[in-house]
Amino acid sequence: MTNDTSRAHIGVVGLAVMGSNIARNFARHGHVVAVYNRSPEKTRALLAEHGDEGEFRPAETIEEFVASLERPRRALIMVQAGPATDAVIGQLADAMEPGDIIIDGGNSLYTDTIRREREIRARGLHFVGAGISGGEEGALNGPAIMPGGTAEAYASLGPLLESVSAHVDGTPCCAHIGADGAGHFVKMVHNGIEYADMQVIGEAYQLLRDAAGLEPAEIAGIFREWNTGDLDSYLVEITAEVLAQTDAATGRPLVDVILDAAGQKGTGRWTAKAALDLGIPVTGIGEAVFARALSSALDQRAAARELPAGRLGEAPADRDAFVEQVRRALYASKIVAYSQGFDEINAGAAEYGWDIDRGALATIWRGGCIIRARFLDRIKDAYDRDPALPALLLDDYFRAQVADCLDAWREVVVTATRLGIPTPVFASTLAYYDGLRAERLPAALIQGQRDYFGAHTYRRVDREGSFHTLWGDDRSEVEA
Ligand code: NBP
């Protein structure tokens, strides 16, 4: 990889959990790694605990760090997103020379990445915003990596990143995504999809618990079985593990002693906000973000506990049949949520001029990251069949899969509604699906209302042009 054996192939700035693990990953793959952290204790601790895992070049100043790198220098920043990242970029850019590459591997907002890339490019350096997924375990043993930036920077950096990424069937879970913020954008949508995927699993769990009356250990067995079929995925696998866990202190299922208030660090919310700005209905992701917010509104929930439920229906009579219906509902709403996520990626690519290969993206997500699943092979196949596929739902395979689940999906949403069990993603993705395939939507009425109160005009189904009805006058129609 290099002719210069004395200098480091790559450097990592920021040696908290993610940075130190990825530095170890590089070292374990035979790369010489320069390491630097603002507080030197972390650098020393890394060397003391893991210095024998490969060749590290520790530095205690940023200048020493930069000087230890071979050219073009490659410095991967793994510090807190936001101002800390800006501070480190500034320090590196001051110490580096034209042609060198600064990589931000943190969870940065893609618009920050677009700005930083522009600023750094103006200084003759390359800036690569790289989404890294898989948490601390992935960073150590093989994450999914989604680098943006120029093709030129990727040519120098790609082989290094690919070597430490996860691999599935021999293919690295790392590929160049597109210019400037493309990598962080798709990583953001990945996290949004992760929110939706976790929420549909949660909704299935609650239905099996509250509608079918099953215990967590039994539901763990069901998820284990589901993990052998279409739903085979890391998230379903760990769901079974969590549900099977008993709390040592109380002897109760662990899931029953965990406070039911879901946290979020922000990437799901960013995905929903970006979708609103782009005008893309990611209802599955949006409802998943809102569901976490609702769960965390503990005071409000406590105050609302006595709100009436109305007359509730009966639990499903055939439990085994209901379990299978829930599996199908979960699968169908998952397909819709992914389809919506890919719509957002299409829209982002169109807005920012990124040429994103969606099939390659599905390939990257097969390993290393939280949403890794057999399912992603099917998405890859769909984009192989038609690289310009207008929506994942329109692919023949997914169309057939949803059709196969549709009756069960409707039944489950009805049952949940009758029993007062909230299923925001099951229900909203079904409403989206029905909206998408509807011949007529009430949007015509909304256009009429908008024209009435604000003279916003409307288009007609039978003629070109914009029209306005003179509502306050003789109600005749004029061409606007
Ligand atoms: P943290 O996000 O907790 O950040 C801690 C690191 O940032 C330390 O090395 C700290 O140095 C450094 N830092 C801060 Br804070 N302010 C700094 C400044 N002004 N100048 C220089 N360094 C500064 O670390 P993490 O959890 O390892 O995550 C690193 C990045 O990876 C983040 O952007 C995160 O969002 C992203 N990420 C995390 C995960 C995950 O599962 N944790 C997954 C994927 C991506 P110090 O030691 O001197 O305080």
Side-chain angles (χ1 to χ4, degrees), residues 14-18 37-39 42 79-81 84 88 106-107 132 135:
L15 302 174
V17 53
M18 288 294 289
N37 192 72
R38 178 180 59 178
S39 12
K42 282 201 180 76
V79 306
Q80 210 171 63
V88 174
N107 269 338
I132 300 183

Side-chain angles (χ1 to χ4, degrees), residues 26-279:
F26 279 119
R28 287 172 174 192
H29 279 86
H31 305 297
V32 183
V33 196
V35 285
Y36 167 76
N37 192 72
R38 178 180 59 178
S39 12
E41 295 74 29
K42 282 201 180 76
T43 315
R44 291 173 203 151
L46 171 64
L47 267 290
E49 288 162 32
H50 304 289
D52 59 351
E53 291 179 8
E55 267 198 77
F56 294 95
R57 298 268 187 280
E60 298 214 349
T61 66
I62 205 101
E63 291 75 19
E64 189 191 341
F65 169 81
V66 167
S68 72
L69 294 166
E70 68 172 13
R71 299 214 49 201
R73 301 182 180 94
R74 308 173 195 95
L76 171 62
I77 302 173
M78 294 302 296
V79 306
Q80 210 171 63
T85 300
D86 275 312
V88 174
I89 291 170
Q91 291 160 13
L92 282 172
D94 287 345
M96 287 175 135
E97 292 169 273
D100 290 348
I101 307 168
I102 298 175
I103 309 119
D104 172 18
N107 269 338
S108 292
L109 183 59
Y110 70 99
T111 45
D112 284 342
T113 305
I114 292 173
R115 167 183 58 80
R116 289 166 179 154
E117 199 275 338
R118 194 173 50 237
E119 290 167 3
I120 294 302
R121 187 161 22 93
R123 299 177 68 168
L125 299 155
H126 293 285
F127 184 78
V128 173
I132 300 183
S133 176
E136 54 185 286
E137 202 273 332
L140 184 62
N141 296 317
I145 310 180
M146 294 148 256
T150 61
E152 190 189 347
Y154 192 80
S156 164
L157 185 64
L160 266 163
L161 296 182
E162 288 174 16
S163 71
V164 298
S165 75
H167 285 68
V168 175
D169 304 332
T171 305
C173 296
C174 171
H176 184 223
I177 304 296
D180 52 58
H184 276 137
F185 185 87
V186 301
K187 168 61 170 36
M188 174 190 76
V189 177
H190 161 283
N191 284 26
I193 289 174
E194 178 185 312
Y195 274 54
D197 208 337
M198 292 169 76
Q199 177 65 24
V200 287
I201 290 171
E203 291 175 19
Y205 155 72
Q206 191 160 12
L207 285 162
L208 297 181
R209 189 87 194 261
D210 295 347
L214 293 162
E215 290 303 314
E218 296 173 291
I219 302 171
I222 290 169
F223 275 105
R224 249 180 229 126
E225 198 190 311
W226 288 357
N227 201 36
T228 61
D230 292 326
L231 292 173
D232 175 358
S233 63
Y234 171 71
L235 281 171
V236 168
E237 179 191 327
I238 66 166
T239 299
E241 296 298 317
V242 174
L243 288 172
Q245 182 74 13
T246 302
D247 173 46
T250 60
R252 295 169 60 195
L254 179 67
V255 72
D256 284 352
V257 297
I258 296 178
L259 184 72
D260 57 341
Q264 46 184 318
K265 283 193 179 166
T267 41
R269 195 181 311 135
W270 289 349
T271 312
K273 278 185 179 172
L276 287 173
D277 287 340
L278 292 165

